[in-house]
Amino acid sequence: MNREQFMRRAIELSRQKMQAGEGGPFGAVVVKDGTIVGEGWNCVTSRNDPTAHAEVVAIRDACARLRTFTLQGCELYTSCEPCPMCLAATYWARVDRLYYGNTIQDAADIDFDDFYFYRQLSLPIGERDLPMIRMLPDEALEVFGEWARKPDKTPY
């Protein structure tokens, strides 16, 4: 398969699963060495899970199949430019490259306003719509100290 075929598979998943009532019109595939190793589609409404976006579902599927928490050496094909959560998940997974079809403006045009989240994340914590209050920093930092000294940790 080539890049266009991988993108067509992501778009096909977005259409099929949307028409099946499983969620919004989003699909994604993870590819390693020319083979699809993970697939995902938007399952937010069918799973009652706001984190079940196509990219996150595809990343979880690929990691489970490959038995790893890193997708270095992989590419992600997604039917739409990722929202901030999915983009962060892509970075955390260490994906090598991301290809997308629709833009966030295209998504906004059909009432998926990812711009709101991008705007919120660019604001200082005190100016965001979601109140964020720091609590018990000394106790929390103790655990971070333990992690820093832990000889058998698996870094990620």
Side-chain angles (χ1 to χ4, degrees):
M1 293 179 79
N2 62 36
R3 288 185 180 126
E4 288 80 15
Q5 290 169 310
F6 296 134
M7 182 58 75
R8 283 190 183 102
R9 178 61 183 154
I11 294 167
E12 177 185 349
L13 284 167
S14 74
R15 177 178 286 120
Q16 286 177 347
K17 302 305 181 173
M18 173 200 61
Q19 290 176 345
E22 293 192 29
F26 305 95
V29 297
V30 176
V31 174
K32 183 174 179 131
D33 299 326
T35 302
I36 294 175
V37 295
E39 292 189 336
W41 51 90
N42 184 284
C43 302
V44 169
T45 57
S46 59
R47 293 186 186 174
N48 294 316
D49 179 353
T51 69
H53 289 200
E55 297 90 342
V56 171
V57 173
I59 288 168
R60 289 174 181 165
D61 185 39
C63 287
R65 288 189 202 190
L66 297 174
R67 297 174 182 227
T68 183
F69 57 84
T70 180
L71 295 177
Q72 290 174 326
C74 295
E75 299 174 330
L76 177 63
Y77 293 79
T78 179
S79 64
C80 187
E81 186 177 359
C83 75
M85 176 184 69
C86 293
L87 185 58
T90 302
Y91 274 104
W92 274 111
R94 311 294 194 241
V95 169
D96 288 0
R97 186 170 286 114
L98 184 146
Y99 299 92
Y100 64 93
N102 294 314
T103 67
I104 57 173
Q105 181 59 58
D106 297 329
D109 290 346
I110 60 167
D111 297 327
F112 288 96
D113 191 10
D114 296 355
F115 286 123
Y116 169 76
F117 299 106
Y118 277 107
R119 282 190 304 270
Q120 285 293 303
L121 292 173
S122 71
L123 294 172
I125 288 175
E127 295 178 25
R128 295 178 186 165
D129 290 345
L130 177 67
M132 295 175 62
I133 300 100
R134 187 172 186 198
M135 292 181 62
L136 304 175
D138 294 337
E139 293 177 35
L141 281 170
E142 275 183 44
V143 180
F144 271 18
E146 290 175 30
W147 170 260
R149 295 183 299 277
K150 188 173 177 11
D152 61 341
K153 65 185 169 207
T154 303
Y156 59 95

